[in-house]
Amino acid sequence: MNVQIEIWKVTRTLSLVVIGLLLSTFLTAAQLMAEVDVDKASGNQPQWISVDDEQGPSGYALEFDGVSNFVRVPNHPSLEPKTEMTIELWAWIDGPQKYCSRLLRKAGGLKPGYLLAADQGDRRMQIRFDGVTNGPRTIRAADNVLHTERTGTWHHFAGVYAKEYVAFYVDGRLIDKQTHRPGDLRHSPIDLYIGYGIFGNEYFKGMIDEVRIWNVARTEQQIEANMNQSVAADSAGLAAYWKFDEGQGDIAHDSTSNQNHGHLEFKSLSRPKHSATSLEDIKNPAFKAENLPGKLIFHGRYRHRSRNRDIDTPGELWIKQGEGGNLTALARLLWMGSYDLASGDTSGRLKSYQTGKDGAYNINLELQGEKVLLTRRGVRADCDDKKLSVPGGAYYNPNTRPDSYCADNIFLRGLNLEPGQSKEFHVYDWDNSGEALADYAIQITHAGKEVITVPAGTFKANHLVLKQLTSTDTWFKKRAGHITEYWVLDSGVIVCILRHREPYELQLLDYTFPEELDGKIVPKSVSAKDDPLTGYFRIQEPQRKNANPGTIIPVFKIKDTYYSVCRGMEIPFKKCPGGLEWALQTSMIGTTIGCRPDGNYFIIIRDAQSENFTSESEAPHNTGPRPMVRIDKPSSILDSTAPAPQTNDGFLGYYQPQWFPYYRMEIRKEKGKYYSVHLSPEQDGKWIKREGPSEIIPLENELGFVYAHRKQKIITQYNKDLKRYELVMAHMTPELRMPLVRVEQSTPAAELISIGIPSWH
């Protein structure tokens, strides 16, 4: 198979991948992969494969194993177009790819550069450019289907950066085009990689051929016209061109005069000599931590949730206690192939910390008073017992997602805080160079004991709030004001963590040891004489960076029909047909609300509309069930009952949606015509116009109005049966209603809370 890689100084469609979401505290853009440990003598490098496909390339191509091999092209100015760029290649995607698998990249984390992803975490391909001048941090265009729909056959992919847009093409056809402010491309002085990303999970599995990079923005017509044939090496704007036609050897030659020849390599990973246990042991699903020192005091699994999206595979945690109370905590994240191992004393100070990722890196820190000994493999230059200075009196605090529940299990146990008390700490973590340590200040406040429901049950836990007081230049961009919340049992077991920045959440999913945890609350059971399905409930997952943890779900009856709320609209629900005795569901937004016989409430939210299902196990793992707890009616939710108007002028005034209480609508009359104006609050409490005025026309046979210039039939009316004002989506089946509460112009904005089914689907 002929593998040709072309780099153009023109804009060509390229899927951009967002990196830097997860762990790794030691990478710099300039040397991210410049010093990886490679072995070119082994047969594990990419393999030359003969191909001849009517729908794809012919000759030779390179096959990548998705585990450890790649093509590395040394950095060169010709690979760094300034104003326009196009990347194109042929690829055979061999089955589902790992999280953030890369076809091509010359970017370090979110440092300036570019990349083409086979998977961008959302299972879609993407072209991405980072660090463009005058633009946002990341500019990208993405595929419109999952990458698994592109598997098992050859496809031509192209990404283009033009002066005012970025575009992604598949088989010569435009898939996505996103506009941006004009700006020049910026680049990091690192090598270019084909078939590889940054971390161990980012290797590409499949075949690649005909790779071209241009320093111009190629058009759709140019891409389609040339994708099935070779191009001249001296073509205008062609910056690099790898045909992959060699068929043998460990060099992929660049056909252009720039001579950007690629080296077929693979990464080998040796283990730091201080490793407390081997990576092979830890990544084994049967691993039970017996070889860690001490007595087992906790073992459980945690559900991870990033930006309101579940990560399918749970993380796992072991905590063991040795003589004198010293602790060892091991967190294993199977979906990343990574682990974190921390040990410390009863004061919360870490004594050692090890982190690693299968096939990518392995780092060990020995914390000895005023110094740290660093041993590492696979990240920058290998080293053994490299001495780093420690800021005086500081604690080591690797507060990076998703490690929080490993090292923090040791750090938080040494606090001894009572409700209402706070402590300030001087802590340190890696600086952004990866060669030194940076210090900063944090404050931890005990906000009191709270009842919280997680998948493992309902607990009364200590609510601790960590606030960063000063900023520092670390890999994870720690800034003053960052908040992380913890819910911790008296025994020290963490049941829930919320990082506000992303947001990123951890919840205790289940546990095998001990048999029962302290603080667990057993709810009373419900019986047939109860109606547990109506009332107000809170989803026990903080969904926003602001105040209240969780979303409020109202459930109520109108006549004989149950309703809940989504986006301010009342959505009808029906009793589930068997299986879930106390449960309601709606196919409109794919949601089930229910109560188990033990009194625990839950909600299941589907990704999209779906057929009825009658058991929790039928719900996708990434959407539920999510625990809820019954609460009193929030004061922000006002009664919508109001006297009936006698004329259309009786509608004039201000309204607040009952289930969307932080917005306003005004109905006004000017020169004999009626208008609707939508308002939103400013921070100073004043209301400003958000939309309108939009003309509304009186109804013919009853009081009320319909919007004059909208395709949708939206009616404002008074409901005599329910004695309230409503907005009615009359164009929908069934009609959806938004109850309105009459308010005064001077009525302050309601507390900012989330009410109704979250639009996760």
Side-chain angles (χ1 to χ4, degrees):
M1 201 183 200
N2 297 334
V3 179
Q4 306 181 26
I5 301 180
E6 311 175 8
I7 300 183
W8 308 72
K9 297 177 184 177
V10 294
T11 315
R12 294 185 60 106
T13 33
L14 178 61
S15 305
L16 290 178
V17 181
V18 179
I19 312 175
L21 173 68
L22 298 167
L23 196 59
S24 185
T25 52
F26 317 98
L27 309 177
T28 64
Q31 296 175 295
L32 182 64
M33 288 301 302
E35 300 175 87
V36 295
D37 180 18
V38 298
D39 183 351
K40 293 188 280 188
S42 170
N44 289 336
Q45 64 192 31
Q47 300 296 301
W48 299 102
I49 303 294
S50 177
V51 297
D52 186 6
D53 196 306
E54 294 182 359
Q55 304 299 322
S58 60
Y60 284 92
L62 277 178
E63 183 177 37
F64 299 83
D65 62 9
V67 176
S68 64
N69 57 29
F70 50 87
V71 174
R72 180 180 61 84
V73 181
N75 186 35
H76 190 270
S78 62
L79 303 177
E80 299 179 345
K82 301 301 183 185
T83 58
E84 295 184 329
M85 184 175 186
T86 298
I87 301 170
E88 57 177 315
L89 55 79
W90 281 91
W92 177 294
I93 301 175
D94 185 4
Q97 298 294 299
K98 293 180 179 179
Y99 183 89
C100 291
S101 168
R102 313 306 191 196
L103 288 163
L104 179 149
R105 73 133 181 106
K106 189 180 183 298
L110 291 177
K111 298 295 183 181
Y114 54 87
L115 62 87
L116 175 62
D119 173 84
Q120 185 42 44
D122 59 0
R123 300 184 179 89
R124 294 190 300 161
M125 302 187 68
Q126 182 184 111
I127 179 72
R128 194 182 85 197
F129 299 89
D130 296 332
V132 176
T133 61
N134 300 320
R137 182 175 66 179
T138 294
I139 298 174
R140 71 194 77 185
D143 204 349
N144 59 357
V145 299
L146 301 183
H147 76 259
T148 50
E149 298 189 31
R150 306 287 190 195
T151 60
T153 188
W154 284 101
H155 288 287
H156 184 270
F157 302 106
V160 174
Y161 179 87
K163 294 179 180 178
E164 295 183 349
Y165 68 86
V166 60
F168 180 65
Y169 300 81
V170 178
D171 298 331
R173 301 297 181 185
L174 177 65
I175 299 298
D176 187 24
K177 184 176 182 179
Q178 300 292 330
T179 60
H180 60 82
R181 293 191 300 271
D184 291 340
L185 291 166
R186 296 193 300 134
H187 302 274
S188 299
I190 59 177
D191 295 343
L192 180 146
Y193 287 83
I194 300 167
Y196 180 59
I198 290 180
F199 304 120
N201 56 298
E202 295 178 356
Y203 290 99
F204 171 72
K205 189 174 191 300
M207 294 182 287
I208 299 177
D209 200 2
E210 289 284 328
V211 184
R212 308 170 188 175
I213 297 180
W214 307 74
N215 59 19
V216 293
R218 303 275 285 178
T219 66
E220 182 175 3
Q221 292 74 23
Q222 289 173 321
I223 293 172
E224 184 179 18
N226 292 284
M227 67 181 192
N228 289 307
Q229 61 188 33
S230 296
V231 297
D234 59 355
S235 298
L238 186 59
Y241 185 10
W242 299 276
K243 296 183 178 182
F244 290 173
D245 276 339
E246 290 82 353
Q248 61 181 356
D250 56 14
I251 299 294
H253 294 88
D254 175 14
S255 298
T256 74
S257 60
N258 292 319
Q259 301 293 288
N260 292 303
H261 303 315
H263 302 271
L264 279 62
E265 298 175 348
F266 85 101
K267 186 187 297 186
S268 61
L269 183 66
S270 57
R271 177 175 126 200
K273 65 180 182 180
H274 292 302
S275 177
T277 187
S278 75
L279 178 60
E280 291 299 320
D281 286 340
I282 293 173
K283 73 180 185 179
N284 186 340
F287 178 72
K288 297 301 180 184
E290 285 87 352
N291 57 336
L292 295 180
K295 177 183 177 182
L296 183 67
I297 61 173
F298 177 76
H299 172 236
R301 298 189 306 159
Y302 288 79
R303 182 174 67 194
H304 291 240
R305 186 170 174 79
S306 177
R307 292 175 171 85
N308 299 328
R309 176 174 175 263
D310 279 356
I311 295 172
D312 293 340
T313 307
E316 197 164 7
L317 174 71
W318 293 264
I319 303 177
K320 302 190 79 173
Q321 189 169 42
E323 294 182 6
N326 291 342
L327 297 171
T328 299
L330 168 65
R332 185 178 63 177
L333 309 177
L334 291 177
W335 78 89
M336 291 175 57
S338 70
Y339 70 94
D340 295 276
L341 183 64
S343 63
D345 59 25
T346 55
S347 72
R349 286 188 180 274
L350 292 184
K351 296 299 185 182
S352 68
Y353 184 75
Q354 182 180 347
T355 182
K357 179 173 286 191
D358 184 9
Y361 62 83
N362 202 342
I363 298 114
N364 190 82
L365 300 176
E366 296 294 328
L367 312 174
Q368 300 179 358
E370 298 300 314
K371 66 180 179 180
V372 168
L373 300 181
L374 165 66
T375 300
R376 67 183 173 197
R377 299 289 185 270
V379 179
R380 298 175 60 86
D382 289 353
C383 64
D384 290 291
D385 290 340
K386 180 177 180 178
K387 295 181 181 179
L388 302 175
S389 297
V390 175
Y395 285 69
Y396 178 54
N397 182 240
N399 186 26
T400 52
R401 185 191 67 234
D403 165 67
S404 307
Y405 70 114
C406 178
D408 281 345
N409 270 280
I410 296 173
F411 179 62
L412 296 178
R413 286 170 185 250
L415 291 180
N416 298 318
L417 284 177
E418 296 295 329
Q421 290 183 340
S422 296
K423 282 187 180 181
E424 294 187 8
F425 293 88
H426 194 49
V427 297
Y428 66 93
D429 196 358
W430 289 91
D431 72 3
N432 218 8
S433 74
E435 297 295 343
L437 299 169
D439 61 327
Y440 57 101
I442 61 173
Q443 179 189 66
I444 300 180
T445 300
H446 193 316
K449 287 208 167 186
E450 295 182 359
V451 174
I452 183 168
T453 300
V454 295
T458 300
F459 298 88
K460 191 168 187 179
N462 301 285
H463 182 195
L464 305 178
V465 180
L466 184 155
K467 181 179 181 180
Q468 188 162 330
L469 301 179
T470 60
S471 298
T472 190
D473 185 23
T474 63
W475 168 252
F476 204 59
K477 302 177 180 64
K478 295 182 173 66
R479 294 292 180 264
H482 283 183
I483 299 291
T484 302
E485 296 182 79
Y486 301 86
W487 285 263
V488 186
L489 302 181
D490 288 343
S491 62
V493 173
I494 298 173
V495 295
C496 183
I497 302 175
L498 170 65
R499 287 181 57 92
H500 284 207
R501 180 177 173 231
E502 293 83 9
Y504 195 93
E505 301 168 58
L506 298 170
Q507 289 193 332
L508 182 60
L509 179 64
D510 51 38
Y511 54 94
T512 63
F513 192 88
E515 291 186 4
E516 287 297 335
L517 290 174
D518 60 299
K520 189 169 186 179
I521 299 173
V522 180
K524 69 174 185 178
S525 60
V526 296
S527 64
K529 67 179 181 179
D530 301 316
D531 185 0
L533 301 176
T534 59
Y536 292 88
F537 306 90
R538 188 189 297 280
I539 300 178
Q540 288 295 284
E541 293 181 313
Q543 297 297 323
R544 303 289 186 268
K545 294 183 179 181
N546 54 46
N548 296 292
T551 298
I552 296 171
I553 307 294
V555 181
F556 50 91
K557 268 186 176 181
I558 298 178
K559 297 183 178 179
D560 293 326
T561 302
Y562 287 92
Y563 289 85
S564 190
V565 176
C566 182
R567 296 182 180 178
M569 299 292 174
E570 295 178 340
I571 308 296
F573 277 67
K574 296 180 179 180
K575 285 282 190 74
C576 283
L580 297 172
E581 181 179 0
W582 294 102
L584 306 168
Q585 67 180 200
T586 177
S587 60
M588 292 184 64
I589 54 174
T591 299
T592 294
I593 296 171
C595 179
R596 301 184 184 92
D598 62 4
N600 277 316
Y601 293 93
F602 64 90
I603 184 169
I604 301 172
I605 301 172
R606 306 281 284 193
D607 280 332
Q609 295 183 13
S610 58
E611 298 297 326
N612 288 347
F613 54 95
T614 59
S615 70
E616 295 175 44
S617 62
E618 295 179 31
H621 293 299
N622 64 339
T623 55
R626 308 197 180 286
M628 299 195 302
V629 61
R630 184 186 287 274
I631 63 172
D632 294 332
K633 179 182 178 180
S635 59
S636 299
I637 300 176
L638 303 179
D639 183 12
S640 60
T641 304
Q646 301 303 310
T647 66
N648 277 333
D649 282 0
F651 282 82
L652 301 180
Y654 292 86
Y655 299 84
Q656 170 181 295
Q658 185 178 26
W659 309 119
F660 220 55
Y662 28 86
Y663 287 98
R664 293 281 165 81
M665 181 181 76
E666 179 193 5
I667 295 180
R668 64 173 67 161
K669 187 177 184 180
E670 298 176 358
K671 297 181 180 180
K673 292 186 177 181
Y674 295 91
Y675 296 90
S676 174
V677 180
H678 290 189
L679 308 168
S680 60
E682 291 284 86
Q683 290 186 350
D684 59 4
K686 295 181 180 179
W687 292 86
I688 62 170
K689 182 175 70 174
R690 182 167 172 256
E691 181 183 338
S694 301
E695 186 179 359
I696 52 178
I697 301 173
L699 300 174
E700 292 184 1
N701 300 320
E702 58 183 319
L703 296 180
F705 305 90
V706 63
Y707 278 88
H709 303 295
R710 293 195 180 187
K711 294 181 181 180
Q712 302 94 340
K713 188 178 181 181
I714 303 177
I715 295 173
T716 304
Q717 67 179 26
Y718 183 83
N719 187 318
K720 295 180 180 179
D721 292 335
L722 300 179
K723 298 181 180 180
R724 69 182 189 185
Y725 292 87
E726 299 173 333
L727 270 182
V728 182
M729 307 292 117
H731 58 284
M732 301 186 71
T733 304
E735 293 182 345
L736 296 183
R737 301 172 183 273
M738 176 185 287
L740 303 174
V741 179
R742 297 209 67 154
V743 294
E744 299 297 327
Q745 183 178 7
S746 59
T747 303
E751 177 189 6
L752 185 61
I753 58 176
S754 298
I755 302 173
I757 311 297
S759 51
W760 293 330
H761 60 291

